[in-house]
Amino acid sequence: MILLALTMAVGNVMLGVFSAVQEQAKAELVLSDFQMSLLNGLAVSIPLAVLAIPVGLMVDRAVRVRMLLWTAIVWTAGTLLTAFAENLPLLFLARMLGGVGANISTTIAISLAADLSLPERRGRSLLLLTIGKYAGTGLAFALGGWLLGLFLAHGGVEGLAPWRSIHLVLGLFSLLIVLALAFLREPARLETRVGPQASIRETFRELAEYRSFLIPLFIGQIGVLMADAAAAIWAAPVLSRSYGVTPQEFAGWLGAVVFGAGILGALIGGFAADAGLKSERRGGILLGAIIASVVALPAAVFPLAPSVPSFALALFVLLFGGTITGLVTATALAVLLPNELRGLSIGVFLAVGGLIAFGVAPTLVTGVSALLGGETFLAQALAVVGLAVSVLGCGGFIVARKHAPQPVR
């Protein structure tokens, strides 16, 4: 479980560090906000949408620890390629590799973690993965900002620009997790109803039986994920443009905000999921997600905060709520669905959710800012999009709770 959490952390560092230094990459390569949104969104979401469902089916049938090893190899290659990409197409490819590895690993890690814990403790077990994820996301900003300041002061590695040197150093470090994963052992599968030998048609037919629950659940989590993805991608540019704060100045506290929201949200989300399951009420496991999405709703307007401290507080609340809903959703899938459907259901979610949240949300923000008057309206556009999709998320969780199935025993 600790190794799985570390894997999630490293993968999210490799995926997220580009966001921390994207203004430097934008300046060197002379890119627009729209082109940056493609690198942060579409480059990550397209391969995810194409591969998530096939990988989900493989997770329910193949040796998962070997799949996890290959995802780590892929994101490491993407990180190293980012350091040397000299044009938009090559950088787009590098971001695709980084996104595939880091995001696909989520499906595999959740499936492995579910078989390493009992159902009544699954929420608390999965919180380790959530902690790893947000530790990585927070470290991406903190390490990115610290290394940027270091390389700006002392020069990059072998003459590389500072933002490139950061990706080179972190990519080499990522090789350590690749080595560790080579020794991970496959656990036995628990709570199998049909079994891994079922046909793909039979598996999809069984998944369709849960559609009245899964569709609103996915809508709820996609809404929250869109708000969080847009915030993670555009928070740094908004701080630089609207508040006049440099990456070296905000990297430390921004990383702490992301990490703190992830840790606290994971702890509360894990215990809330387990407590909701023990209540034995229909959909009780989703109650924590409903409350969290409502609490985080007003925080979606964080880009319009009157000061940097209030910006940080509102962003913390938004990510805190998103962490809780994400963990509760993952636990619900791991408890309410049989083993042979977990990888597929998470794969479907990543395919649809990844394409919409990571592919649409960043570009949607740039589209709204263009309608408002241009790139100077980035903060207002981020607030409008964040608030709209957060409302959608709340509604989805409320409907999903009414159609939740009984836990699989």
Side-chain angles (χ1 to χ4, degrees), residues 384-401:
V384 169
V385 172
L387 187 61
V389 296
S390 295
V391 171
L392 179 67
C394 290
F397 287 124
I398 292 173
V399 175
R401 186 190 176 197

Side-chain angles (χ1 to χ4, degrees), residues 37-59:
S37 75
L38 296 181
L39 292 173
N40 284 305
L42 209 58
V44 175
S45 63
I46 287 180
L48 183 60
V50 172
L51 295 176
I53 293 178
V55 168
L57 288 169
M58 291 177 62
V59 164

Side-chain angles (χ1 to χ4, degrees), residues 138-392:
L139 281 173
F141 286 102
L143 279 175
W146 178 74
L147 289 173
L148 180 63
L150 181 66
F151 288 132
L152 284 173
H154 302 285
V157 178
E158 296 297 327
L160 291 175
W163 70 273
R164 296 181 183 276
S165 299
I166 292 170
H167 284 85
L168 176 60
V169 170
L170 294 179
L172 294 175
F173 173 80
S174 181
L175 292 174
L176 295 177
I177 201 70
V178 171
L179 180 63
L181 288 174
F183 298 95
L184 192 62
R185 294 184 178 181
E186 179 79 3
R189 295 180 182 270
L190 306 177
E191 303 148 4
T192 299
R193 177 181 294 172
V194 176
Q197 303 305 317
S199 68
I200 293 178
R201 178 179 296 181
E202 185 178 357
T203 302
F204 273 101
R205 184 183 299 115
E206 186 182 3
L207 185 67
E209 296 176 1
Y210 293 90
R211 61 184 178 276
S212 60
F213 163 65
L214 290 176
I215 292 174
L217 178 67
F218 286 0
I219 290 174
Q221 185 57 23
I222 287 170
V224 173
L225 188 57
M226 287 182 72
D228 288 357
I233 290 169
W234 292 118
V238 168
L239 282 168
S240 296
R241 301 178 196 179
S242 299
Y243 298 88
V245 186
T246 66
Q248 300 93 306
E249 293 171 331
F250 67 67
W253 66 257
L254 184 57
V257 164
V258 175
F259 180 63
I263 294 294
L264 185 59
L267 291 172
I268 293 179
F271 283 98
D274 288 344
L277 180 63
K278 290 179 181 179
S279 70
E280 297 186 353
R281 292 186 298 176
R282 186 184 184 94
I285 194 172
L286 295 178
L287 183 60
I290 295 173
I291 296 174
S293 62
V294 171
V295 170
L297 185 61
V301 297
F302 76 93
L304 304 181
S307 64
V308 172
S310 56
F311 176 103
L313 178 61
L315 179 60
F316 177 90
V317 173
L318 179 70
L319 298 179
F320 168 72
T323 306
I324 294 176
T325 64
L327 197 149
V328 170
T329 298
T331 306
L333 294 176
V335 171
L336 302 182
L337 298 182
N339 195 302
E340 67 272 9
L341 295 182
R342 290 171 190 162
L344 176 59
S345 64
I346 296 171
V348 171
F349 168 70
L350 287 177
V352 178
L355 182 61
I356 296 175
F358 295 104
V360 174
T363 306
L364 181 60
V365 172
T366 62
V368 173
S369 68
L371 291 175
L372 294 176
E375 294 185 358
T376 56
F377 290 87
L378 179 63
Q380 292 86 340
L382 181 56
V384 169
V385 172
L387 187 61
V389 296
S390 295
V391 171
L392 179 67

